[in-house]
Amino acid sequence: MSKFFITTAIDYPNGSPHIGHAYEKVLADIIARYRRLCGDEVFFLTGVDQHGQKMQQTADNEGVNVATLANRNTRKFIALWEKLGVHYNGWAATTDDLHKNCVQKILSALHDQGQLYKKAYKGFYSVRQEQYLTEKDRGEDGQFGEEWGEVVELEEENWYFRLSEHADWLKTAVSEGSLGIIPEFRRAEVLNAIERASETDLCISRPKDRLHWGIELPFDAGFV
């Protein structure tokens, strides 16, 4: 018997689930069912990302506590998967103690290894994607595209992961196939992302004075 692991994206419950969420989960469920019929030992993981700026903003706009919003909308996602008969084996919610403890343990290890550092940075930030943008993210017209949603200019101090130090071996692993990515256009997208990462590191935190709804860094209580 072979072991087969399948996971989906974990959804933002800042609103009700829609057809796009259902499409992905049903496809994953079909694959999981097929592999079970083949005799594989299957573990199907899905869940929700209940943290982040979009959640905090939505709660503020509705005038409710962000934890209340997260719990209310998470129940809608769970109810839909039950209605659609999506049979997952594991549920990942970012407010669960298991998830928080795992994240903090990994961050502590990276910090101890010198893979994380703090610096001040000024740049453009996509609220929708919750990431800083570079000049390479601009379109031919010099503007940031609609896919980035609201883009604001920020200047703040944050913690960063030394992703640039890992760009070369990641690029080799993807190019040579040891990290298999299909279809081909997705592999090209990942290679482009790694190329951008070779010039900059990954911001992994947000200051609590801007975002309080997240997992606190175990080595710096001022950030999530």
Side-chain angles (χ1 to χ4, degrees):
M1 178 184 293
S2 299
K3 292 185 177 181
F4 184 81
F5 174 76
I6 184 169
T7 184
T8 70
I10 54 175
D11 304 309
Y12 274 117
N14 60 320
S16 298
H18 53 67
I19 189 65
H21 297 121
Y23 175 74
E24 180 194 22
K25 306 309 179 293
V26 169
L27 285 181
D29 189 50
I30 290 170
I31 295 171
R33 288 169 183 261
Y34 169 74
R35 297 305 296 244
R36 292 188 189 106
L37 288 172
C38 291
D40 292 342
E41 181 183 346
V42 175
F43 192 91
F44 173 15
L45 177 69
T46 190
V48 284
D49 184 355
Q50 298 158 313
H51 288 128
Q53 191 167 355
K54 288 194 289 287
M55 291 292 296
Q56 184 172 296
Q57 285 184 337
T58 301
D60 290 343
N61 291 338
E62 293 188 12
V64 299
N65 180 276
V66 64
T68 300
L69 173 75
N71 292 331
R72 182 192 73 197
N73 286 349
T74 294
R75 288 194 294 270
K76 294 179 181 179
F77 279 82
I78 293 173
L80 180 58
W81 307 151
E82 291 177 351
K83 185 175 183 178
L84 293 175
V86 175
H87 298 294
Y88 48 86
N89 305 100
W91 177 258
T94 55
T95 56
D96 289 349
D97 287 339
L98 176 63
H99 178 83
K100 290 190 286 187
N101 292 337
C102 182
V103 167
Q104 290 183 326
K105 184 176 181 179
I106 292 171
L107 290 175
S108 292
L110 290 172
H111 182 261
D112 292 345
Q113 295 167 14
Q115 289 291 320
L116 306 179
Y117 65 95
K118 186 162 63 172
K119 73 170 183 177
Y121 179 80
K122 181 178 181 180
F124 292 96
Y125 181 80
S126 166
V127 177
R128 174 185 293 173
Q129 302 297 339
E130 298 195 14
Q131 70 180 71
Y132 280 100
L133 306 179
T134 69
E135 291 304 309
K136 289 186 177 181
D137 294 312
R138 294 183 185 272
E140 294 181 357
D141 60 357
Q143 303 298 313
F144 294 111
E146 294 182 359
E147 67 272 18
W148 299 113
E150 180 187 4
V151 176
V152 296
E153 189 172 18
L154 292 177
E155 182 174 7
E156 62 185 17
E157 192 173 42
N158 271 307
W159 283 88
Y160 289 79
F161 169 62
R162 299 183 189 277
L163 181 59
S164 58
E165 295 183 0
H166 303 276
D168 288 342
W169 73 262
L170 281 170
K171 189 185 303 182
T172 299
V174 173
S175 299
E176 296 181 353
S178 58
L179 285 177
I181 300 174
I182 55 174
E184 176 61 29
F185 77 92
R186 293 298 186 195
R187 188 169 75 94
E189 288 179 356
V190 171
L191 286 172
N192 287 335
I194 295 172
E195 184 64 33
R196 291 196 300 271
S198 65
E199 302 175 5
T200 183
D201 288 329
L202 178 66
C203 179
I204 65 160
S205 72
R206 302 292 180 266
K208 280 188 177 178
D209 58 4
R210 179 163 70 85
L211 176 64
H212 60 80
W213 181 242
I215 298 174
E216 184 178 291
L217 298 191
F219 44 82
D220 193 334
F223 293 83
V224 295

